[in-house]
């Protein structure tokens, strides 16, 4: 049972850019970033709401994920990857449908709908990793020097960051849809929709 005094409901009628939400991110200064599937980003702060979309510099209004690396906030969209500082938007990766983002220390990894993965450093340099999966990447996580990659219909892969070797985990069903990955000091956790 949820007590309504603990939460606030936002819709297009009271400030959201879109009622279909794809991702949430709370900034350290208390601002709430809400990514939508069709109308960009809503930024809620004590001063009101700001919107960031095609008119602000995003090449797609479909915001898939939000992460922070260093002092920059990153938005993955169906039109690429963007760094954003609450005022300006800079393009990092163009012409690629970017989905999940994952930060591990000073590197962020970005998975795409085409099965490629990029590493991004603090100075906004994106480098495509030598990975070609050929399936949509649904989530990414790191655990013990390996990058784990969950795919739509091609199961789970791991990429050894040091040796640059890609491995498909064949002990899991081949057509598995790995929708969520999470790691901590105890291990790697895998969510599927099969």
């Amino acid at each position: 049972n949820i007590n309504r005094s603990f939460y606030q409901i936002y819709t297009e009628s009271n400030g959201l850019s879109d009622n279909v939400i794809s991702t949430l991110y709370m900034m350290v200064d208390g601002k709430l970033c809400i990514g939508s599937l069709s109308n960009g980003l809503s930024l809620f702060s004590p001063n009101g709401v700001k919107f960031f979309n095609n008119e602000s510099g995003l090449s797609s209004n479909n915001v898939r994920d939000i992460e922070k690396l260093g002092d920059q906030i990153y938005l993955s969209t169906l039109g690429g990857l963007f760094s954003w500082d609450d005022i300006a938007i800079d393009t990092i990766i163009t012409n690629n449908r970017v989905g999940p983002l994952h930060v591990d220390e000073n590197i962020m990894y970005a998975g795409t709908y085409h099965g490629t993965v990029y590493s991004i450093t603090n100075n906004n340099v994106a480098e495509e990793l030598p990975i070609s999966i050929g399936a949509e990447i649904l989530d990414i996580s790191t655990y013990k020097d390996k990058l784990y990659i969950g795919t739509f219909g091609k199961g789970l892969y791991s990429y050894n960051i040091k040796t640059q070797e890609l491995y498909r985990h064949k002990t899991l069903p081949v057509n598995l849809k790995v929708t969520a990955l999470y790691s901590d000091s105890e291990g790697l956790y895998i969510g599927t929709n099969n």
Side-chain angles (χ1 to χ4, degrees):
N1 188 9
I2 298 175
N3 183 336
R4 289 195 77 154
S5 65
F6 289 115
Y7 65 91
Q8 172 69 42
I9 297 174
Y10 292 100
T11 65
E12 286 181 74
S13 64
N14 66 346
L16 276 182
S17 63
D18 187 5
N19 284 334
V20 182
I21 305 305
S22 55
T23 187
L24 301 169
Y25 184 85
M26 180 66 73
M27 297 171 67
V28 293
D29 62 2
K31 295 175 186 170
L32 178 62
C33 301
I34 302 174
S36 74
L37 288 183
S38 64
N39 207 11
L41 180 81
S42 301
L43 176 66
F44 284 82
S45 73
N47 299 328
V49 182
K50 288 183 185 178
F51 301 106
F52 298 89
N53 53 31
N54 290 119
E55 295 172 7
S56 310
L58 291 176
S59 64
S60 170
N61 281 332
N62 189 320
V63 178
R64 306 305 300 172
D65 205 354
I66 304 168
E67 276 290 349
K68 182 178 181 187
L69 176 64
D71 294 331
Q72 290 288 312
I73 298 292
Y74 291 84
L75 309 173
S76 69
T77 75
L78 293 187
L81 179 68
F82 302 87
S83 68
W84 168 70
D85 64 6
D86 194 10
I87 298 169
I89 295 174
D90 292 319
T91 304
I92 307 301
I93 299 172
T94 60
N95 301 324
N96 210 331
R97 299 168 65 119
V98 181
L101 303 174
H102 175 76
V103 174
D104 183 34
E105 296 182 16
N106 294 321
I107 297 176
M108 181 173 64
Y109 297 97
T112 72
Y113 282 52
H114 306 294
T116 55
V117 178
Y118 291 86
S119 66
I120 296 94
T121 59
N122 277 331
N123 57 358
N124 287 343
V125 174
E127 178 182 336
E128 186 174 340
L129 298 179
I131 295 173
S132 181
I133 293 173
E136 178 182 344
I137 296 175
L138 300 177
D139 206 0
I140 297 175
S141 189
T142 50
Y143 180 68
K144 292 188 176 179
D145 293 326
K146 290 186 180 172
L147 180 66
Y148 286 86
I149 304 162
T151 68
F152 183 87
K154 285 201 171 183
L156 179 68
Y157 288 78
S158 60
Y159 174 73
N160 188 310
I161 297 167
K162 292 181 180 177
T163 66
Q164 297 186 340
E165 294 175 309
L166 183 66
Y167 174 76
R168 185 175 189 179
H169 292 266
K170 296 177 182 169
T171 55
L172 299 171
V174 175
N175 64 345
L176 188 67
K177 295 179 185 109
V178 179
T179 57
L181 296 170
Y182 176 79
S183 62
D184 62 17
S185 61
E186 301 295 317
L188 178 72
Y189 304 89
I190 303 167
T192 71
N193 76 347
N194 293 43

